Amino acid sequence: MRRYLPLVFGVVAGLVCVRLGVWQLNRLSERRAVNVRRESRLAMAVVNLDEHPTEDSLEGRRASATGVFDFERQIVVMLRGLRGVPGVHIVTPLRLEDGTAVLVERGWAPSSDGKTVELSKLAEPDTSVVEGLLVLSSGQAEMSIADNWPIYVRRPNPVDLESRFPYSLMPEVLRRTELPAAAPPVLRPLPLPDLTNGPHLSYAIQWFSFAVIAVVGSAILVWRESRPGSGVNERHTDSL
């Protein structure tokens, strides 16, 4: 029975690898479903936030808004690298005509420590027309506890941050994907969400390959050890 232990271990390892491969295929299916939803929402008409849209959720919709930037109350989203360069996202409230505001991700700026940035060099005209993509920022903002501005966060979640402002915030963040001519040159636009299938299919193929290797390799090992003239049979004959 001991001679078959490698095969038992190989089968067990193979089953684990198959399960991991199926998990990656499930993630691929989920990602494709999310991409279809994102593409369908991107294809919808641009939402004009000045017209007070009443939809339950505007996540993933293209939108435009006209308002006044509140540069006195800015947010720095820390640790946001771009192509291997450390940096931050600059988020500025855009006050709308009705007195509410939407947090605008104005762009990415380089920062050697992923936090420190000179906001004075990132100013632009107060009154602006902003076009971009409405996104949800889930999870706690994990904000700095200092009362002064700017505040530093890991996520620009309007629900968590609204208490810091003297006006109401929309639940979505308007991500500016193209910069206007008046934007400071150091800013870089933020990319649209990734609509590719990701690495899940290649990972699944790798796990299935590992499963085949584990089972076939252990079977070959058992076969070699049990065939006539192998070391196992020779030791068995010597013992007789």
Side-chain angles (χ1 to χ4, degrees):
M1 181 62 186
R2 183 177 298 177
R3 74 174 65 172
Y4 294 106
L5 285 179
L7 181 59
V8 173
F9 291 139
V11 170
V12 171
L15 290 174
V16 172
C17 292
V18 168
R19 180 65 186 89
L20 291 171
V22 171
W23 173 60
Q24 287 293 338
L25 289 179
N26 289 337
R27 293 193 64 189
L28 174 62
S29 178
E30 293 170 357
R31 180 155 183 164
R32 284 174 173 170
V34 170
N35 287 343
V36 169
R37 179 177 179 273
R38 286 176 172 174
E39 289 174 345
S40 65
R41 295 187 72 81
L42 284 172
M44 292 180 178
V46 176
V47 176
N48 187 348
L49 300 183
D50 304 323
E51 297 177 353
H52 316 296
T54 58
E55 289 91 335
D56 292 336
S57 175
L58 296 174
E59 179 190 6
R61 296 283 301 275
R62 292 178 296 127
S64 66
T66 302
V68 179
F69 279 123
D70 184 358
F71 289 115
E72 297 299 320
R73 299 179 179 89
Q74 297 201 77
I75 300 166
V76 176
V77 185
M78 303 178 293
L79 304 176
R80 289 293 186 264
L82 181 66
R83 300 185 184 93
V85 179
V88 296
H89 288 180
I90 306 302
V91 179
T92 308
L94 183 73
R95 301 194 65 174
L96 307 179
E97 186 178 3
D98 64 356
T100 63
V102 58
L103 295 182
V104 176
E105 287 185 323
R106 291 199 291 130
W108 175 91
S111 171
S112 60
D113 61 358
K115 179 180 178 180
T116 305
V117 62
E118 292 188 43
L119 292 175
S120 60
K121 295 182 178 181
L122 303 176
E124 55 186 277
D126 292 348
T127 302
S128 180
V129 177
V130 178
E131 296 181 351
L133 184 70
L134 289 168
V135 298
L136 285 179
S137 182
S138 59
Q140 292 185 343
E142 300 178 16
M143 70 187 78
S144 59
I145 61 175
D147 292 331
N148 57 318
W149 296 90
I151 56 177
Y152 299 87
V153 303
R154 294 295 183 89
R155 301 176 184 85
N157 188 341
V159 176
D160 283 355
L161 297 170
E162 188 171 28
S163 62
R164 302 290 296 268
F165 295 89
Y167 39 75
S168 298
L169 297 177
M170 286 187 57
E172 296 88 5
V173 176
L174 183 55
R175 176 174 295 171
R176 192 165 63 175
T177 54
E178 293 184 8
L179 300 184
V186 69
L187 279 182
R188 295 289 182 271
L190 301 179
L192 289 170
D194 183 11
L195 297 180
T196 66
N197 290 328
H200 303 299
L201 181 59
S202 61
Y203 287 166
I205 293 173
Q206 289 179 11
W207 284 119
F208 291 141
S209 300
F210 293 155
V212 172
I213 292 172
V215 174
V216 174
S218 60
I220 292 175
L221 179 62
V222 170
W223 174 73
R224 285 181 176 177
E225 291 294 332
S226 61
R227 66 179 179 173
S230 67
V232 171
N233 286 317
E234 290 177 357
R235 289 193 295 271
H236 180 66
T237 303
D238 292 342
S239 65
L240 296 177

